[in-house]
């Protein structure tokens, strides 16, 4: 099966949007990343108390808002009343340029509608399996199946998604990466994978170096795609592209775009 998300192959992924310059995981950060020309916007979603899919990373609200407690114990209307730009600062807390400017938590539906041509990499954060059904509804209602890739650390939710909506592209979870990594290190990988595998991995995981030239080479032989997170230093970006990594996720898409252009990748 061919997926529109992979064509053209994404190179530049903005981690939580243009999060170095705008409050992370907000429509403001997403619009800026899209206007910069990134290939994909990475984001995270939770299930609210009243069953809505809302964009946010942390399970709690304190780090990025003037609210407190867990996100999933709040209704959407309660979350909408919070200031999602409250704690954003670029100068160590001397100024808070987005505080009181009306920056809100957004629903996934709002993000897909606000940027109808953008590709999204979406991490299902909630452990409750209900998030899968609600997520499928939102993606299908926006006809966005071909422009999203779904990730999750909760393997059971990924399995449920793959069964309920096999047309959705998913990356593999940590629990699926580890055995493949071990087999790769032991040189006992199968000659081919049964389906196309999307790796979304850090350079190191569980104390083991994942991304090496041999890892990239071995996975490419099996038609896998290697995406690496979260890379913010230019020298690391240059090295990863030099060994053949397909895609880099970054908090600084401006620097990654500049680096990719210098290398002739973009």
């Amino acid at each position: 099966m061919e997926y529109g998300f992979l064509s053209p192959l994404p190179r530049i992924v903005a981690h939580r949007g243009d999060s170095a310059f705008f409050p992370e995981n907000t429509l403001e950060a997403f619009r800026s990343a899209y206007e910069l020309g990134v290939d994909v916007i990475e984001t995270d979603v939770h299930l609210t108390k009243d069953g809505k899919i809302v964009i946010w990373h942390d399970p709690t609200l304190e780090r990025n808002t003037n609210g407190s407690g867990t996100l999933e114990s709040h209704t959407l209307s309660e979350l909408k009343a919070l200031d999602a730009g409250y704690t954003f600062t670029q100068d160590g807390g001397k100024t808070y340029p987005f505080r009181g400017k009306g920056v809100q938590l957004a629903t996934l539906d709002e993000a897909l509608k606000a940027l109808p041509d953008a590709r999204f990499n979406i991490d299902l954060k909630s452990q409750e399996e209900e998030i899968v059904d609600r997520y499928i509804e939102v993606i299908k209602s926006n006809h966005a199946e071909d422009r999203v890739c779904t990730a999750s650390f909760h393997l059971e939710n990924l399995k449920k998604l793959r069964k309920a909506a096999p047309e959705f592209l998913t990356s593999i979870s940590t629990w699926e990466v580890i055995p493949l990594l071990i087999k790769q290190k032991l040189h006992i990988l199968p000659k081919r994978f049964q389906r196309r595998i999307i790796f979304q991995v850090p350079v190191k995981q569980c104390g083991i170096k994942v991304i090496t030239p041999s890892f990239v080479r071995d996975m490419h032989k099996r038609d896998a795609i290697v995406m690496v997170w979260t890379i913010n230093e230019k020298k690391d970006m240059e090295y990863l592209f030099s060994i053949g990594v397909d895609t880099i996720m970054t908090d600084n898409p401006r620097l990654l775009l500049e680096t990719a252009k210098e290398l002739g990748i973009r």
Side-chain angles (χ1 to χ4, degrees):
M1 181 184 293
E2 291 299 320
Y3 296 95
F5 181 90
L6 298 175
S7 181
L9 182 67
R11 295 294 203 175
I12 314 296
V13 179
H15 188 237
R16 306 178 197 173
D18 189 11
S19 55
F21 291 85
F22 293 85
E24 68 179 56
N25 272 334
T26 62
L27 293 183
E28 288 78 1
F30 293 170
R31 289 192 182 100
S32 179
Y34 181 77
E35 290 168 3
L36 287 172
V38 304
D39 298 316
V40 176
I41 296 167
E42 188 275 343
T43 190
D44 315 272
V45 295
H46 290 262
L47 192 67
T48 67
K49 183 178 179 180
D50 50 345
K52 306 299 182 183
I53 301 289
V54 71
I55 290 170
W56 205 243
H57 176 269
D58 293 9
T60 54
L61 297 163
E62 285 85 352
R63 184 172 67 89
N64 296 103
T65 78
N66 58 338
S68 63
T70 65
L71 182 146
E72 294 177 13
S73 65
H74 289 70
T75 64
L76 179 60
S77 62
E78 290 169 340
L79 294 171
K80 283 289 190 181
L82 300 177
D83 186 344
Y86 190 77
T87 64
F88 181 87
T89 181
Q90 293 178 302
D91 53 18
K94 294 179 182 178
T95 60
Y96 296 91
F98 291 96
R99 183 176 288 185
K101 298 298 176 62
V103 180
Q104 294 182 315
L105 280 80
T107 65
L108 178 58
D109 183 67
E110 289 170 334
L112 293 172
K113 285 181 168 59
L115 295 169
D117 298 321
R119 288 182 280 180
F120 286 88
N121 194 94
I122 304 170
D123 188 347
L124 305 183
K125 289 294 187 185
S126 296
Q127 190 165 358
E128 292 78 5
E129 65 176 24
E130 182 189 351
I131 193 173
V132 177
D133 296 326
R134 302 288 80 80
Y135 176 74
I136 291 172
E137 289 172 5
V138 173
I139 298 299
K140 288 189 173 181
S141 69
N142 283 279
H143 307 289
E145 296 93 328
D146 214 32
R147 60 186 179 102
V148 301
C149 179
T150 310
S152 182
F153 287 100
H154 305 302
L155 179 55
E156 290 307 311
N157 282 345
L158 275 183
K159 287 180 176 179
K160 180 178 178 180
L161 176 64
R162 291 167 185 160
K163 183 176 180 179
E167 70 276 20
F168 282 32
L169 179 67
T170 66
S171 63
I172 61 175
S173 75
T174 301
W175 301 111
E176 295 169 303
V177 170
I178 291 172
L180 289 175
L181 178 59
I182 292 171
K183 289 180 180 179
Q184 190 268 333
K185 298 291 186 185
L186 295 175
H187 307 289
I188 56 172
L189 280 171
K191 289 185 178 181
R192 66 187 63 183
F193 297 138
Q194 292 182 344
R195 60 183 176 86
R196 192 158 202 192
I197 288 180
I198 312 295
F199 287 94
Q200 293 184 3
V201 290
V203 172
K204 291 183 178 180
Q205 191 164 44
C206 301
I208 300 171
K209 191 168 185 181
V210 178
I211 300 301
T212 62
S214 64
F215 177 88
V216 176
R217 183 175 61 251
D218 289 345
M219 296 311 169
H220 279 173
K221 284 180 181 178
R222 292 156 179 84
D223 201 32
I225 291 176
V226 181
M227 300 183 174
V228 183
W229 51 263
T230 303
I231 307 302
N232 296 323
E233 298 296 329
K234 186 180 181 69
K235 61 181 176 56
D236 297 328
M237 297 171 182
E238 292 172 337
Y239 170 72
L240 290 170
F241 277 139
S242 76
I243 65 171
V245 161
D246 299 299
T247 308
I248 293 176
M249 300 184 188
T250 182
D251 294 319
N252 193 342
R254 299 165 192 241
L255 178 61
L256 184 55
L257 281 163
E258 173 188 302
T259 303
K261 288 176 182 176
E262 289 175 358
L263 296 173
I265 293 170
R266 284 289 303 270

